[in-house]
Amino acid sequence: MRTSLTLPLAAAALAALTGCAAVAPNTAAVPARTDTQPSEQDKTWMRTIHEGNLSEVQAGRLAMGKGTTKQVKAVGKMLVQDHTKLDTKVTQTATQLGIQLPTSPSKAQRAEVVRLRGSSGQDFDEDFLSGMIKAHKEALAATKTEVSKGSNQTVKALAGAAQQSLQQHLDALEKAQEG
């Protein structure tokens, strides 16, 4: 009985082993990687836009609570929603590409948020709008550079989508500043 059970098991094991070795892995379903590795330009933009997203979500939340006009509150809400969505995409892309992102806004951005926290009334509205207009102009310039000089197609596509959103934000901020 022992011999009759061992021989079929050994034969099955041998068949399984030789069968595995003879079968080539199926790579047809895996798309060929056409993206280049992220360049320093790509990495810098990803880090910069991530810091900006973190800062603008904080500033937007402040505007939602401290803004004195419906326009400021609405722009604040838009910034929170859009920059949260964008940052989710940025974070996912960075993870896929192995790019380490900062854990907080830049020192200057943190100082701006602290300044906004200390401001109130119409002064808050003016400080918020002027600060966010400046930040969005800088972010747009960096994003346009990424679109034209970046090397990784995934990062460039993300920058292209971000560019449209940043321009809409800038337009809304400028409109709110005009009154």
Side-chain angles (χ1 to χ4, degrees):
M1 174 92 165
R2 181 183 229 199
T3 314
S4 64
L5 187 58
T6 308
L7 191 56
L9 285 175
L14 183 61
L17 287 173
T18 57
C20 287
V23 175
N26 180 5
T27 57
V30 179
R33 185 83 195 245
T34 56
D35 255 359
T36 59
Q37 286 300 311
S39 64
E40 281 308 309
Q41 165 63 42
D42 298 324
K43 292 175 187 178
T44 298
W45 180 80
M46 294 284 288
R47 291 179 185 121
T48 301
I49 205 72
H50 176 64
E51 287 175 333
N53 288 334
L54 295 175
S55 174
E56 291 174 24
V57 166
Q58 291 176 2
R61 285 188 179 129
L62 287 172
M64 289 169 63
K66 295 179 83 170
T68 62
T69 68
K70 288 181 182 179
Q71 273 187 307
V72 168
K73 289 178 181 286
V75 168
K77 183 177 180 180
M78 177 180 63
L79 294 182
V80 170
Q81 291 173 340
D82 292 353
H83 284 284
T84 298
K85 286 179 192 173
L86 175 58
D87 204 52
T88 298
K89 292 175 186 174
V90 168
T91 303
Q92 289 170 345
T93 301
T95 300
Q96 291 170 352
L97 297 174
I99 299 172
Q100 186 81 23
L101 295 177
T103 57
S104 65
S106 71
K107 186 176 182 178
Q109 291 164 331
R110 289 191 307 267
E112 178 68 14
V113 170
V114 167
R115 190 172 75 79
L116 287 174
R117 281 191 189 122
S119 188
S120 62
Q122 191 172 356
D123 287 342
F124 172 85
D125 291 354
E126 291 170 9
D127 291 344
F128 168 76
L129 292 170
S130 63
M132 288 298 98
I133 287 170
K134 180 180 182 237
H136 278 80
K137 285 180 178 179
E138 291 169 358
L140 261 171
T143 301
K144 287 177 182 179
T145 299
E146 174 58 28
V147 169
S148 66
K149 296 185 179 179
S151 61
N152 182 282
Q153 293 305 311
T154 302
V155 178
K156 287 178 69 164
L158 183 58
Q163 185 176 341
Q164 293 175 350
S165 181
L166 291 168
Q167 185 62 58
Q168 290 172 347
H169 293 175
L170 181 59
D171 294 345
L173 288 159
E174 290 174 336
K175 184 176 178 183
Q177 190 178 49
E178 290 168 6

